[in-house]
Amino acid sequence: MDKGHDLTAFSRTVSASSLRGRLTKLTGAPLRPVAALHASIDFVPTKIPRKRRLQMMVVAVWSVLLVTSCFVFLMLCSIPALWPFLVMYLIWIFCIDKSPAYGNRLAPWFRSLKIWQYFAEYYPASLLKECDLPADRPYVFGYHPHGIIGMGALATFATEATGFSKAFPDIKPHLLTLTNNFHIPLYREVIMALGISSVSRVSCSNILSSGPGQAITIVVGGAAESLSARPGTADLTLKRRLGFIKVAIQHGADLVPVFSFGENDVSDTFFRSCALSTAFIRQIYNQMPNEKGTTIYALQKKFQSMFGFTLPLFHGRGLLNYNLGLMPYRRRIVSVIGRPIHVQRCEKPSLEEIERVQRMYIEELTRIWNTYKDEFAKTRLRELSIVD
C-alpha cells in the first residue's frame, strides 16, 4: 500500500518536472512562424516628421473611405428617427440623381484642398507635361497601367495636387470609374465632388458633348490589367480595347496617351512564402501570385465576369510598420502626359479606322515608354508589353 503510494508520488514529481522543462523550452524558444513574422516586420520609428504623419493619415483615410462610408450609413440606419430621410436619400441615389452620367458635381474648391497635396506627396506623385493642349476641343486621356487601384490617376486627374489645371488651363478632367461606386451612400458624394464620373458609354458621350475643354480619363486596362500588376513590369491590356477609341472618334476628341511610371510599383505580391521578405517591397501593393492557369486566377476571372470588376489579393504597409498592412507603399509615381492624337469626327467609324487610330495610339504610348524608361523605370525587369 505504501509502496504504491510512493510510486504514484514519484510519477507525479517526474511528470511535474517534465512539464516544467517543456514549458521552459517553449518560453525560451517561441514558435518559429511567430518569431519569423515578428523579426521580418519593419516597425516605424517613434520620431517621424509631422508632415509625413499627415501624408500617411490622408492616404490611410482614403484607403478605407469606401468601407467607412458603408459603416457610417449602416450606423445611421440604426436610428429610427432618420429612416424617412435615409429612404429619400436612397430613392435619390437610385432613381433620381443622374450626376454620375454627366460629371456636373465637380467642385474645384474640393479638388484643391490641402489634404490632396498631402495625398500626392505621400508617394510622391507628379505630372510631366510634354506639350500644350488647346481648350478648343474635347479630350480622351488613356491612362496606363492600371496598377492595383490607380493611385496616380486619382492624384493627377481627380485632384489639383499635381497641378493639372495649371499645366492645362480650361481643361476640365473627369476621371471615370465603375458605375457601382455611385451606388454607395456618402462615398459617391466625395468622388463626384472630385469630378469622378461613371465609365459608361452614356456618361462618356454626355461629358464629351457638353462643350470644348471637357475631358475624360479612362484607365484602359481595367480589372484584367490589375491582375497582372507586378513591380518592374508594364504589361498593358490594350490590343482588344477599342471602345474608348471609338468614343473619341465619334465625338472628335483628341486621344492623349498617359503612361504612369511607378503605378505598378506602388504594390507588391501577397505572401509568396511563410516569412515576409523586404526584397518584395518594391511596389505600392503586394499582389498574390496569380498567373494564368492557377486556381486564384480562375476565381478572380469568374468574379470579374459576374460583377464587372475583380479583387486582386494584395497587401501593403501598415500605420505602424513598413511591410504589413493595406496601405500603399511610398513609391514615386510620374504620370507622363504625351502628345495628342488628332482624330476626325465620325459618328459611325469603320473597324479599319478604329484600328488605324489604335496603332497610332500604341506608337505614341511606346514612344513615351522608350523616352523615359531609363529615367523613371531604372529597376524594370522587362520592357513594355502590349497584351490582350
Side-chain angles (χ1 to χ4, degrees):
M1 183 73 177
D2 294 337
K3 290 182 179 180
H5 177 75
D6 293 342
L7 181 61
T8 303
F10 176 75
S11 299
R12 290 175 179 174
T13 303
V14 173
S15 299
S17 300
S18 176
L19 180 59
R20 189 181 299 109
R22 292 179 181 179
L23 289 175
T24 302
K25 291 181 179 179
L26 286 175
T27 304
L31 296 176
R32 290 180 180 179
V34 176
L37 182 62
H38 184 273
S40 60
I41 295 179
D42 186 11
F43 289 96
V44 300
T46 55
K47 294 183 178 180
I48 296 179
R50 179 175 176 271
K51 187 175 183 178
R52 288 179 66 88
R53 289 188 183 277
L54 289 173
Q55 294 168 0
M56 183 173 62
M57 182 186 70
V58 171
V59 173
V61 170
W62 177 261
S63 299
V64 298
L65 182 61
L66 189 151
V67 176
T68 304
S69 299
C70 294
F71 177 77
V72 171
F73 184 78
L74 291 176
M75 291 297 293
L76 294 175
C77 289
S78 67
I79 305 175
L82 296 179
W83 288 355
F85 301 100
L86 296 177
V87 169
M88 289 188 290
Y89 179 52
L90 291 176
I91 293 174
W92 166 261
I93 290 176
F94 291 98
C95 303
I96 301 176
D97 189 20
K98 304 301 180 182
S99 296
Y102 288 89
N104 54 9
R105 296 272 289 277
L106 185 153
W109 68 268
F110 188 68
R111 288 168 51 95
S112 303
L113 290 177
K114 182 66 175 180
I115 58 174
W116 305 120
Q117 191 70 38
Y118 288 131
F119 180 88
E121 290 174 350
Y122 172 86
Y123 300 100
S126 60
L127 176 155
L128 196 158
K129 166 186 171 182
E130 285 204 317
C131 65
D132 293 330
L133 297 178
D136 59 352
R137 68 198 72 174
Y139 292 92
V140 175
F141 292 89
Y143 185 90
H144 311 268
H146 184 285
I148 298 293
I149 297 180
M151 294 297 192
L154 178 70
T156 303
F157 294 98
T159 76
E160 294 300 331
T162 61
F164 183 90
S165 294
K166 292 181 180 178
F168 305 103
D170 300 323
I171 302 293
K172 298 179 181 179
H174 297 270
L175 180 62
L176 305 186
T177 187
L178 295 174
T179 304
N180 294 338
N181 287 324
F182 299 97
H183 296 159
I184 303 173
L186 306 180
Y187 178 75
R188 69 190 299 272
E189 314 304 333
V190 176
I191 61 177
M192 283 195 292
L194 291 172
I196 299 176
S197 303
S198 169
V199 77
S200 66
R201 186 177 294 274
V202 172
S203 175
C204 294
S205 179
N206 290 337
I207 295 172
L208 294 175
S209 302
S210 60
Q214 296 292 335
I216 59 175
T217 301
I218 301 176
V219 186
V220 179
E225 192 172 279
S226 69
L227 298 181
S228 61
R230 293 286 185 275
T233 67
D235 300 332
L236 307 184
T237 303
L238 185 56
K239 285 184 179 179
R240 291 185 289 181
R241 301 297 170 112
L242 302 175
F244 75 106
I245 295 177
K246 182 178 180 179
V247 167
I249 296 175
Q250 289 175 331
H251 295 85
D254 284 7
L255 277 162
V256 185
V258 180
F259 194 95
S260 188
F261 290 89
E263 185 66 65
N264 279 349
D265 297 330
V266 181
S267 51
D268 246 338
T269 347
F270 203 61
F271 296 101
R272 300 190 186 181
S273 61
C274 293
L276 296 174
S277 172
T278 55
F280 298 146
I281 306 173
R282 295 181 179 176
Q283 44 177 175
I284 299 181
Y285 288 107
N286 295 322
Q287 184 176 184
M288 177 178 283
N290 58 341
E291 289 73 16
K292 291 184 178 180
T294 62
T295 303
I296 294 176
Y297 183 82
L299 291 174
Q300 289 174 324
K301 295 299 290 184
K302 181 66 175 178
F303 188 94
Q304 179 186 348
S305 64
M306 293 174 61
F307 298 100
F309 65 96
T310 190
L311 295 174
L313 300 178
F314 63 90
H315 80 87
R317 59 160 293 178
L319 285 171
L320 301 177
N321 68 83
Y322 291 120
N323 54 356
L324 184 61
L326 295 178
M327 284 183 58
Y329 295 114
R330 290 180 182 266
R331 297 292 179 266
R332 184 186 184 191
I333 303 175
V334 180
S335 298
V336 180
I337 300 181
R339 302 165 185 167
I341 299 170
H342 185 67
V343 298
Q344 295 294 329
R345 182 170 183 173
C346 178
E347 293 186 2
K348 295 182 179 180
S350 63
L351 179 61
E352 291 75 15
E353 174 64 12
I354 296 175
E355 290 178 341
R356 183 188 70 83
V357 175
Q358 185 197 45
R359 287 192 294 270
M360 296 170 60
Y361 182 89
I362 293 177
E363 288 176 2
E364 173 62 15
L365 195 61
T366 304
R367 183 197 65 78
I368 296 174
W369 167 263
N370 291 330
T371 302
Y372 298 99
K373 64 181 180 181
D374 292 332
E375 182 178 358
F376 302 130
K378 295 179 181 179
T379 59
R380 63 187 182 277
L381 300 178
R382 56 177 181 263
E383 296 298 316
L384 174 69
S385 175
I386 307 296
V387 295
D388 290 343

